[in-house]
Amino acid sequence: MKFANMAAFEESKDDMNIWIFFSQSSTTIFLHEYSASLHLIMIIVLSISWASKRHEAPILENSKPMLKNTYLYYLSALICCLGLSSCDLLLCMLNYLSGYRHGWSDLKRAAQVDLAFRTLTWFVITAYLHTQFFNSREHRFPILVRVWFAFYFLMSCAYLIIHLGLYSKHSSLSSLLWVSDVVSIIVVLLFCYLGLFGKGQKDENLHLLEPLLKNSFSRNNGDNRQGLSVGGESVTPYANANLISFFTFAWMGPLLALGYEKTLDLEDVPQLANCDSANVVFSHFRKKLEFDGNDGQVTTFKLVKALILSTWKEILWTALLSIIWTLVSYVGPYLIDTFIQYLNSPHQLKYKGYVLVYIFFLSKLINCLSERHLFFQLRKMAIRVRAVLFSIIYRKGLMLSSQSKQVHTSGENTNLMSVDVERIGFFCWYMHDIWRVPVQIVLALLILYKSLGLASLAAIVATMILMLANVPIVKLQEKFQEELMDSKDRRMKVTSEAIRNMRILKLQGWEMKFLAKIIELRNFESRWLKKLLYTSAISAFVYLSAPMFVSMVTFWFCILMGIPLESGKILSALATFEILQEPIYTLPDTISMVVQTKVSLNRVASFLCLDDLCLNIVQKLRRDDTNVTVEIVKGNFSWDLHSPNLTLKDLNFQVYHGMRVAVCGSVGSGKSSLLSCILGEVPKVSGSIKLNGTKAYVAQVPWIQSGKIVDNILFGKEMDKEKYEMILEACSLKKDLELFAFGDQTIIGERGINLSGGQKQRIQIARALYYDADIYLLDDPFSAVDAHTGTHLFKECLLGILGSKTVLYVTHQVEFLPSADLILVMRDGRITQAGKYAEILSSGTDFIKLVGAHEKALVDFNYVKHETMDNLINGEEDGIILGNENSIQDDEERELKNNETEKLVEPEGQLAQEEKREKGGISLSVYWNYVTSAYKGGFVPLILLAQILFQLFLIVSSYWMVLSTPVSKDMKPDVKGSTLIFVFFALILGSSLCVLIRSMLVVTAGYKTATMFFNKMHMCIFRAPMSFFDSTPSGRILNRASIDQSAIDTTIPHQFEEVLISIIGFLGTIAVMSQVAWQMLIVFIPMTVACIWYQALDRCQLGDEVRKKEGKLDSIVTENGDNWSMGQRQLACLGRVLLKRSKVLVLDEATASVDIATDYLIQQTLRQHFSRSTVITIAHRITSILDVDMVLLLDNGLVLEYDSPAKLLDIKSSSFAKLVKEYTQRCSS
């Protein structure tokens, strides 16, 4: 009996040795066949690439000569390639002699084919490199060869490891294998150095080799790699890529190679093809949207339909790629059981294994290509969708009516474009999941049914349970996301207001209070952020635990039903569960994305449905029919059509060609609204308004674009040098431009921050003059300039260049009224008087009040000695209405003398600088600072430990199921079914807990880091000097507080988690492969401040205006205070000053936009309530500074005079005396 047992044992041992020998021999044969296949593919690809390049006509005249160091690198590479080819040829000959003498085995045949293809491949590479380096003068290794170097290195290392593993199992290997492995690794290390890291040293005199003239022809034709050239700009090679280049993304090679050599600039990136440009794409989309209906109302359905019709080709192409990707991803799970059965059966046809391996390889290759192209096309489609939505939203924003602007702020527009449009574009990634996820589930269940039979029903039930478990999580995420976006809207609104008005906040000392308010809003936002992040962590836990849960339920059902478990079926099931993981997680996520996208589409559609400016408010008259330029008959207009109070009432007047019409009246009387009415921006209630000719408008608040001064003046029109110079002279801009180091090429900061108010006003007047319109509408154009400049502008612009034009100008300065052909006096939205200066002065009370207030202000000159004033007035011999030419000439001579001094202190650089961009690789210290910001990095080792344990449990659970089950149904299992499932359940539970712990730790650390970054960033911003805000566009700062902060809140922690999962998963895969040879992640709380207002409002002359409003102090103030006049806004700012009672008060043109009567009352209030305060007043009105203690007169940034007004007036030659004299003469007239 004992002898029989020993005999049986020896027999089984012999069988095992035979099986081991067979498996090891098969492994070696497979490696040879695999290597031969890869070398054959390389030969084919290289030949096609070579042939396509030879068809191109290289222009060698423009090529650079090869440098000495570069030549040595290429020569070394050629010698290595040729040497490796010779070595493989020698090994091939030795293997042939061995086979000839001792017979040909399958192993020797496979080795012979492998060595033959290796020899041929390296010879072809040698010839290819020789052609590239010495014929076309290439200065870098082709991307194809560099990729092959890296891949060949990895393959050689893998082969050596596998051969060592076989040797460790007492398998005898041919000496040819060891020689081939060692030589390959040594040579390929040199390849990696030469091809990937060896660039050669740059020759210091390399720039001497460059052509002196680099025109667009040489750029576009000297290097055919960048594709075609259109209009002097290179077009992306993608537009004309051949089939091989398209499928392998080889068209990206030149750009990647250039990026490897230097940091890419915008000029290095080729232009899009015309069919992909935003202009063409938007035009196509707009036609589809307008074709769907002419009622002007854009519904969500119409918007979606237009988007689909605009991208239907991309949708079909990506659908095809999705089908291919889905089908080939199931080839492996479907055939893995067959492959295991083949390995375990000695009587199978030997070529069946090769066929299976090639099917696995081909399916994976197709899977990778289809997946990459699918993602590329989806991204491309998402960009097209974003482009058309950006365009239509921007276009709609330009056409909104005033009432629509009141209900839809610019902050909401920002969110619409930065959040909603992004979300709609991101939906492209989920679009095909709507049908693909059910298909994936069905295919997975069919494979499970093939392997496990009825146990697949358990898999169906487990899958449905997980999907249902995801539903409440998705709903919670949707709710938290909504609340988070609402609270973020509130925070960004306050942040935007604070950033854009930082100068006022810093002057008032309010920046820390606003920072505290923003921090409070952020804290409330953080509550929703925290809920969203922890919900996402639970969702990630469900996602990663899904395959383990489904596999546990399925295997338990198999044990319960007596279904035999075999290692092949278990491997097939585990692979299927891994694929099933994505649809289980994706389906609820897809449903959530559909809901979110629908919300965003509804928001965009509702915005597109807002009322536009009514284009038929103003009727156009034919130029030849009448001499009337502007005519309003029985006109009634209102900014709010639902309000019973009209803005403008009973307007009736005519303006003829060439007339100068002055509009005056007290603050809030409707002067600016009258000009807006003529522009067609105020909704019409009744009556008619007619215009004859083109219009140009100069706003009360200067509108300046960020850009060059010359561009702000030309505004898209062609340069007419003579006309341009004349307008600069008329607007007194020449001397201002001489003070700038870059002249009219100076870049204006955001909102003209580096210009004074007067300079901005004169630039927009120059822009209007250059437009050469028929009708000019000027809204208080002289309020922001001093008396000299105001006189010059009135004479040179209104009476000079615009002498033959129709001009309507609003003004509070009475001295400019006598020159008007028609004066319109307004009060409470009505024209109370109309006529020439002398006529209305004697016919009504409203105009007399304005003039009387002006004269009363002049009486305050009595504190100046009458003798001094008389001398100043009588000393003028040739006084004229518009001022003293000699005075202006003297000042101009003085300014010319100061120009040189001013230029010395002018900074040589532009104020508005481009955003700094880091170059080169990102330092590891950046990542380290991020991961160690929260809790000093204390969570990092815990997160690593949790992920390592998860990976370990996952590997052990798979090992346990495979090794504890029989290879075939004929063999008895070594472990009981209950023990098998119990251990498997324990391992799965451990891995699931590790996932949960890791996700929670990542979320906690990420949230803490985001909070710290937010607080530090905002503290730095609010403590920054004003020079930072002067030179940094507010949009750049707001991007940091919105998009970048959102990335730190949610995206970056998730990306770090994914990197960690990938790295540890990769290491785990390597560990497994080393054992099995070759198998392969604010509801806004209102802050109310109790203040005593009504006294303050009365003192700043706003009490009556507020009392008229229905909501009194709770009345709505729209964005930028647009529902108040400019003067009323200034008065409201004065109200703040009266409430604060500061020790130091700075008034910067605080009453420039109010009438003289109101200005007089304000000055009295300030004298009364700030008698003990230091008041610094910047003003162009002489009457505003009559009772000051000291006058500081500046010119070109230099202090010219500083003394009391009386002393300066005693000095007849003083600049202040000349200014007062000119103002007095102008007013006396």
Side-chain angles (χ1 to χ4, degrees):
M1 185 70 179
K2 185 176 181 181
F3 178 78
N5 290 335
M6 290 181 63
F9 174 78
E10 290 296 331
E11 184 180 356
S12 62
K13 185 177 179 180
D14 292 340
D15 291 340
M16 182 62 69
N17 288 334
I18 293 172
W19 184 87
I20 291 173
F21 173 79
F22 171 76
S23 62
Q24 291 173 349
S25 177
S26 299
T27 299
T28 310
I29 292 173
F30 168 76
L31 292 178
H32 281 303
E33 296 288 349
Y34 182 72
S35 173
S37 302
L38 291 177
H39 282 80
L40 177 61
I41 292 173
M42 181 60 183
I43 292 173
I44 295 172
V45 172
L46 207 60
S47 301
I48 294 174
S49 175
W50 197 357
S52 62
K53 283 183 179 292
R54 290 187 64 85
H55 282 294
E56 298 175 357
I59 300 177
L60 299 181
E61 297 87 325
N62 293 331
S63 61
K64 303 174 187 176
M66 186 175 293
L67 301 177
K68 181 179 179 180
N69 290 330
T70 309
Y71 174 80
L72 293 177
Y73 277 107
Y74 298 150
L75 185 61
S76 301
L78 292 178
I79 293 174
C80 289
C81 290
L82 195 58
L84 194 55
S85 178
S86 302
C87 179
D88 288 332
L89 178 61
L90 178 62
L91 293 176
C92 183
M93 293 173 64
L94 292 175
N95 186 71
Y96 177 80
L97 291 175
S98 175
Y100 180 78
R101 290 178 180 176
H102 306 291
W104 289 97
S105 64
D106 290 339
L107 181 59
K108 288 184 178 180
R109 288 193 182 95
Q112 188 70 15
V113 173
D114 182 20
L115 291 171
F117 278 119
R118 286 181 183 231
T119 303
L120 183 59
T121 300
W122 287 110
F123 182 79
V124 171
I125 291 176
T126 304
Y128 180 77
L129 291 179
H130 175 79
T131 304
Q132 291 295 308
F133 298 153
F134 295 100
N135 291 346
S136 64
R137 298 294 187 185
E138 281 285 349
H139 289 184
R140 55 180 171 269
F141 288 93
I143 185 68
L144 180 61
V145 176
R146 280 184 283 158
V147 170
W148 173 254
F149 285 169
F151 180 77
Y152 190 77
F153 172 71
L154 295 176
M155 186 178 71
S156 300
C157 292
Y159 275 28
L160 180 60
I161 292 172
I162 293 171
H163 291 157
L164 288 173
L166 293 175
Y167 182 76
S168 66
K169 296 177 181 178
H170 309 289
S171 175
S172 60
L173 297 176
S174 171
S175 58
L176 296 180
L177 284 177
W178 297 113
V179 173
S180 177
D181 288 341
V182 172
V183 172
S184 296
I185 289 180
I186 292 175
V187 175
V188 88
L189 280 174
L190 183 59
F191 280 149
C192 290
Y193 175 75
L194 296 174
L196 300 178
F197 305 105
K199 301 180 187 177
Q201 295 179 354
K202 298 289 184 181
D203 196 315
E204 294 179 356
N205 297 321
L206 181 61
H207 66 278
L208 299 177
L209 303 176
E210 298 289 340
L212 293 176
L213 296 177
K214 291 185 178 181
N215 53 27
S216 59
F217 177 83
S218 65
R219 174 186 173 187
N220 296 320
N221 295 285
D223 190 355
N224 290 331
R225 296 172 301 161
Q226 290 295 332
L228 298 178
S229 174
V230 177
E233 295 286 347
S234 60
V235 177
T236 172
Y238 174 74
N240 296 281
N242 56 39
L243 196 61
I244 297 296
S245 178
F246 174 79
F247 274 109
T248 60
F249 293 97
W251 54 271
M252 281 289 292
L255 190 62
L256 294 176
L258 184 62
Y260 181 71
E261 293 181 352
K262 62 182 285 290
T263 301
L264 291 177
D265 296 317
L266 184 61
E267 294 77 15
D268 299 321
V269 182
Q271 294 292 318
L272 290 174
N274 189 49
C275 60
D276 291 324
S277 64
N279 189 30
V280 173
V281 172
F282 173 64
S283 176
H284 184 59
F285 167 78
R286 186 178 170 187
K287 289 178 182 178
K288 299 295 182 183
L289 189 63
E290 292 177 349
F291 177 77
D292 201 34
N294 298 321
D295 55 356
Q297 293 297 313
V298 179
T299 63
T300 304
F301 176 75
K302 290 182 179 179
L303 185 62
V304 172
K305 183 179 178 182
L307 287 172
I308 292 175
L309 291 176
S310 302
T311 57
W312 68 270
K313 293 181 181 177
E314 288 81 7
I315 293 174
L316 292 179
W317 176 230
T318 52
L320 177 61
L321 290 173
S322 292
I323 293 172
I324 297 173
W325 180 41
T326 302
L327 293 177
V328 296
S329 63
Y330 284 96
V331 171
Y334 183 79
L335 293 178
I336 192 170
D337 186 29
T338 306
F339 187 65
I340 296 296
Q341 294 298 328
Y342 165 78
L343 292 178
N344 294 322
S345 176
H347 304 294
Q348 295 279 359
L349 295 174
K350 61 180 180 180
Y351 290 106
K352 181 180 179 181
Y354 297 148
V355 171
L356 287 173
V357 169
Y358 276 113
I359 291 176
F360 287 144
F361 171 75
L362 189 61
S363 65
K364 195 61 182 177
L365 180 64
I366 296 174
N367 180 279
C368 291
L369 284 175
S370 60
E371 183 186 42
R372 291 301 98 199
H373 279 279
L374 174 62
F375 289 171
F376 173 71
Q377 293 297 332
L378 288 175
R379 187 178 294 275
K380 181 181 170 186
M381 182 166 60
I383 292 174
R384 291 172 73 96
V385 169
R386 288 174 55 209
V388 299
L389 291 178
F390 277 144
S391 302
I392 197 169
I393 289 173
Y394 180 77
R395 179 174 172 270
K396 179 70 177 182
L398 297 177
M399 301 177 64
L400 285 181
S401 66
S402 58
Q403 194 168 359
S404 298
K405 289 177 182 177
Q406 292 180 13
V407 299
H408 198 91
T409 65
S410 61
E412 290 173 296
N413 283 353
T414 302
N415 271 347
L416 207 63
M417 300 180 79
S418 64
V419 178
D420 293 294
V421 171
E422 289 291 331
R423 187 176 294 161
I424 294 170
F426 193 62
F427 174 73
C428 294
W429 293 87
Y430 291 84
M431 178 176 55
H432 294 298
D433 289 344
I434 298 172
W435 59 265
R436 188 167 59 88
V437 167
V439 171
Q440 283 180 307
I441 294 174
V442 171
L443 289 175
L445 295 177
L446 288 175
I447 293 175
L448 287 175
Y449 183 79
K450 170 182 174 291
S451 301
L452 303 176
L454 292 177
S456 60
L457 296 176
I460 295 175
V461 173
T463 303
M464 296 304 295
I465 290 174
L466 286 172
M467 288 183 174
L468 292 175
N470 264 334
V471 171
I473 298 176
V474 169
K475 287 186 176 179
L476 280 176
Q477 281 184 302
E478 184 180 347
K479 176 188 175 183
F480 296 155
Q481 181 73 28
E482 248 179 64
E483 297 291 348
L484 178 64
M485 291 308 301
D486 288 341
S487 56
K488 190 173 293 185
D489 283 348
R490 297 187 186 98
R491 173 175 64 84
M492 285 307 301
K493 181 180 179 182
V494 176
T495 305
S496 176
E497 290 178 354
I499 297 300
R500 289 173 179 164
N501 298 282
M502 187 57 72
R503 185 178 297 276
I504 297 173
L505 296 184
K506 285 190 174 293
L507 288 174
Q508 299 282 2
W510 290 346
E511 65 269 30
M512 289 299 109
K513 292 182 179 179
F514 264 78
L515 176 59
K517 186 176 182 180
I518 291 172
I519 294 294
E520 185 177 354
L521 289 172
R522 168 66 181 183
N523 290 338
F524 190 83
E525 176 189 341
S526 298
R527 300 178 193 174
W528 296 111
L529 175 63
K530 189 185 293 185
K531 292 178 181 178
L532 179 65
L533 290 176
Y534 281 112
T535 309
S536 300
I538 296 173
S539 180
F541 163 71
V542 174
Y543 169 65
L544 291 172
S545 302
M548 296 181 287
F549 175 74
V550 175
S551 60
M552 185 193 68
V553 172
T554 306
F555 294 150
W556 174 80
F557 189 79
C558 288
I559 298 296
L560 189 66
M561 298 298 295
I563 299 174
L565 290 175
E566 303 166 14
S567 56
K569 292 180 179 179
I570 287 177
L571 286 174
S572 177
L574 289 175
T576 306
F577 294 147
E578 198 66 30
I579 295 178
L580 199 59
Q581 177 184 26
E582 184 190 357
I584 290 174
Y585 178 78
T586 303
L587 186 58
D589 200 31
T590 303
I591 296 171
S592 173
M593 198 64 198
V594 169
V595 173
Q596 292 182 37
T597 306
K598 185 178 182 299
V599 171
S600 294
L601 285 167
N602 289 338
R603 281 165 56 94
V604 173
S606 62
F607 172 73
L608 297 178
C609 288
L610 291 175
D611 293 333
D612 292 343
L613 282 171
C614 188
L615 300 179
N616 59 1
I617 290 178
V618 179
Q619 301 177 28
K620 302 290 184 182
L621 297 174
R622 295 183 59 183
R623 293 174 181 258
D624 301 333
D625 291 349
T626 177
N627 197 34
V628 175
T629 307
V630 180
E631 181 182 38
I632 300 180
V633 179
K634 298 179 180 180
N636 291 285
F637 303 86
S638 178
W639 288 109
D640 185 2
L641 291 176
H642 303 292
S643 173
N645 299 321
L646 298 177
T647 306
L648 299 172
K649 294 157 276 190
D650 302 328
L651 298 184
N652 290 279
F653 66 91
Q654 280 187 338
V655 178
Y656 293 96
H657 178 71
M659 286 182 64
R660 287 187 297 275
V661 180
V663 183
C664 59
S666 60
V667 173
S669 58
K671 303 181 294 299
S672 298
S673 295
L674 177 63
L675 298 188
S676 299
C677 160
I678 297 172
L679 289 171
E681 293 185 352
V682 186
K684 181 175 65 176
V685 178
S686 62
S688 64
I689 176 171
K690 301 176 182 178
L691 290 185
N692 186 351
T694 57
K695 307 181 292 291
Y697 174 61
V698 175
Q700 191 175 13
V701 180
W703 184 82
I704 300 294
Q705 275 190 321
S706 296
K708 296 178 182 177
I709 292 177
V710 62
D711 295 333
N712 270 274
I713 296 175
L714 298 182
F715 211 61
K717 287 189 168 290
E718 293 184 2
M719 168 66 80
D720 183 338
K721 196 64 179 177
E722 183 178 351
K723 177 182 176 182
Y724 179 73
E725 294 293 333
M726 177 185 67
I727 290 174
L728 291 182
E729 183 66 39
C731 295
S732 297
L733 282 172
K734 278 198 170 183
K735 294 178 180 58
D736 294 274
L737 297 181
E738 291 172 0
L739 299 179
F740 293 116
F742 297 92
D744 61 359
Q745 299 297 313
T746 299
I747 296 178
I748 300 174
E750 189 176 28
R751 303 185 308 278
I753 199 71
N754 51 337
L755 301 176
S756 69
Q759 288 171 329
K760 288 188 280 189
Q761 188 76 291
R762 283 177 282 144
I763 285 176
Q764 73 164 352
I765 292 174
R767 179 171 62 218
L769 295 180
Y770 198 87
Y771 183 66
D772 195 22
D774 300 315
I775 306 169
Y776 281 82
L777 306 174
L778 312 179
D779 195 351
D780 204 4
F782 313 115
S783 62
V785 296
D786 56 62
H788 291 321
T789 309
T791 300
H792 183 80
L793 287 175
F794 190 81
K795 178 182 177 183
E796 298 297 329
C797 296
L798 266 74
L799 301 184
I801 295 178
L802 301 181
S804 61
K805 306 287 187 178
T806 303
V807 182
L808 286 84
Y809 61 98
V810 172
T811 184
H812 289 295
Q813 293 158 296
V814 177
E815 58 268 26
F816 295 131
L817 296 178
S819 299
D821 300 314
L822 176 65
I823 299 175
L824 302 178
V825 183
M826 300 196 68
R827 179 166 57 86
D828 297 333
R830 285 187 171 88
I831 298 176
T832 57
Q833 290 178 270
K836 292 194 173 183
Y837 185 85
E839 297 172 357
I840 61 175
L841 189 61
S842 58
S843 63
T845 58
D846 291 328
F847 189 65
I848 292 177
K849 287 181 180 178
L850 292 175
V851 177
H854 176 68
E855 293 176 349
K856 189 175 181 180
L858 293 177
V859 173
D860 287 331
F861 275 113
N862 290 334
Y863 75 91
V864 182
K865 293 182 179 180
H866 292 288
E867 294 82 2
T868 304
M869 186 63 70
D870 291 340
N871 291 336
L872 286 171
I873 296 174
N874 296 330
E876 179 69 76
E877 297 179 357
D878 300 321
I880 58 173
I881 292 177
L882 295 176
N884 190 334
E885 290 289 339
N886 295 329
S887 173
I888 297 175
Q889 186 175 354
D890 292 341
D891 290 333
E892 290 176 352
E893 292 174 357
R894 173 172 38 78
E895 288 176 356
L896 285 173
K897 293 178 183 178
N898 291 331
N899 282 348
E900 295 299 324
T901 305
E902 182 69 18
K903 284 186 178 180
L904 292 176
V905 298
E906 179 74 23
E908 289 300 315
Q910 299 277 19
L911 175 65
Q913 300 292 332
E914 290 187 6
E915 187 170 5
K916 183 181 178 182
R917 182 163 64 109
E918 295 293 339
K919 296 184 178 181
I922 299 177
S923 173
L924 290 177
S925 62
V926 175
Y927 299 111
W928 181 251
N929 289 335
Y930 175 80
V931 298
T932 57
S933 293
Y935 309 107
K936 296 183 179 180
F939 280 12
V940 174
L942 297 177
I943 293 171
L944 282 172
L945 179 62
Q947 180 59 28
I948 291 171
L949 288 176
F950 162 73
Q951 195 69 36
L952 186 63
F953 281 131
L954 192 64
I955 292 172
V956 172
S957 64
S958 299
Y959 256 105
W960 170 255
M961 291 301 295
V962 172
L963 296 180
S964 301
T965 52
V967 176
S968 64
K969 59 184 178 182
D970 299 328
M971 299 177 64
K972 290 186 67 175
D974 298 328
V975 180
K976 291 183 180 180
S978 57
T979 306
L980 181 73
I981 293 300
F982 178 78
V983 175
F984 186 64
F985 172 75
L987 293 171
I988 281 179
L989 183 62
S991 61
S992 299
L993 288 176
C994 289
V995 169
L996 183 61
I997 292 170
R998 185 209 67 211
S999 298
M1000 290 298 178
L1001 290 176
V1002 169
V1003 164
T1004 304
Y1007 168 76
K1008 181 68 174 179
T1009 304
T1011 303
M1012 293 174 63
F1013 275 40
F1014 179 90
N1015 293 338
K1016 288 181 181 178
M1017 177 181 69
H1018 280 73
M1019 184 64 72
C1020 292
I1021 290 174
F1022 276 76
R1023 285 184 173 178
M1026 273 311 301
S1027 58
F1028 169 76
F1029 298 95
D1030 291 345
S1031 59
T1032 307
S1034 62
R1036 191 181 299 171
I1037 302 174
L1038 292 175
N1039 272 344
R1040 299 292 177 273
S1042 58
I1043 297 175
D1044 293 339
Q1045 184 62 45
S1046 294
I1048 296 176
D1049 287 343
T1050 56
T1051 309
I1052 293 180
H1054 180 63
Q1055 289 177 340
F1056 267 89
E1057 186 178 23
E1058 286 186 338
V1059 169
L1060 179 65
I1061 293 172
S1062 300
I1063 292 174
I1064 296 180
F1066 175 70
L1067 295 176
T1069 303
I1070 292 178
V1072 172
M1073 288 180 64
S1074 67
Q1075 296 297 317
V1076 296
W1078 48 273
Q1079 291 182 359
M1080 301 198 168
L1081 157 4
I1082 304 174
V1083 173
F1084 171 68
I1085 301 177
M1087 296 178 61
T1088 56
V1089 181
C1091 298
I1092 302 174
W1093 287 90
Y1094 293 111
Q1095 294 178 354
L1097 289 172
D1098 287 331
R1099 288 170 187 165
C1100 67
Q1101 310 303 312
L1102 272 179
D1104 293 335
E1105 183 65 29
V1106 173
R1107 292 185 188 97
K1108 289 179 185 178
K1109 296 184 178 295
E1110 184 178 351
K1112 301 297 188 293
L1113 284 175
D1114 293 326
S1115 299
I1116 301 262
V1117 177
T1118 59
E1119 188 177 26
N1120 298 324
D1122 288 338
N1123 58 334
W1124 283 30
S1125 70
M1126 186 63 188
Q1128 289 171 330
R1129 278 178 263 172
Q1130 286 187 327
L1131 296 178
C1133 294
L1134 287 170
R1136 296 190 202 133
V1137 170
L1138 292 171
L1139 285 170
K1140 191 175 182 183
R1141 295 181 177 273
S1142 303
K1143 293 296 182 183
V1144 178
L1145 176 62
V1146 180
L1147 301 174
D1148 188 355
E1149 296 290 346
T1151 58
S1153 296
V1154 301
D1155 57 86
I1156 297 177
T1158 305
D1159 183 26
Y1160 181 75
L1161 295 174
I1162 295 267
Q1163 298 300 332
Q1164 284 186 329
T1165 302
L1166 294 176
R1167 289 169 201 151
Q1168 179 183 353
H1169 291 86
F1170 290 92
S1171 58
R1172 296 186 179 181
S1173 300
T1174 301
V1175 182
I1176 302 173
T1177 304
I1178 301 172
H1180 288 119
R1181 280 184 181 165
I1182 301 299
T1183 54
S1184 300
I1185 57 171
L1186 294 178
D1187 62 343
V1188 297
D1189 299 313
M1190 302 292 286
V1191 171
L1192 177 68
L1193 197 141
L1194 297 173
D1195 189 22
N1196 296 334
L1198 300 177
V1199 177
L1200 294 185
E1201 297 170 358
Y1202 181 64
D1203 212 329
S1204 65
K1207 290 183 180 179
L1208 290 177
L1209 287 172
D1210 283 335
I1211 305 172
K1212 296 182 180 180
S1213 60
S1214 71
S1215 298
F1216 181 72
K1218 293 178 181 179
L1219 192 66
V1220 173
K1221 178 175 62 177
E1222 182 174 348
Y1223 182 79
T1224 306
Q1225 289 175 340
R1226 191 175 68 187
C1227 296
S1228 300
S1229 62

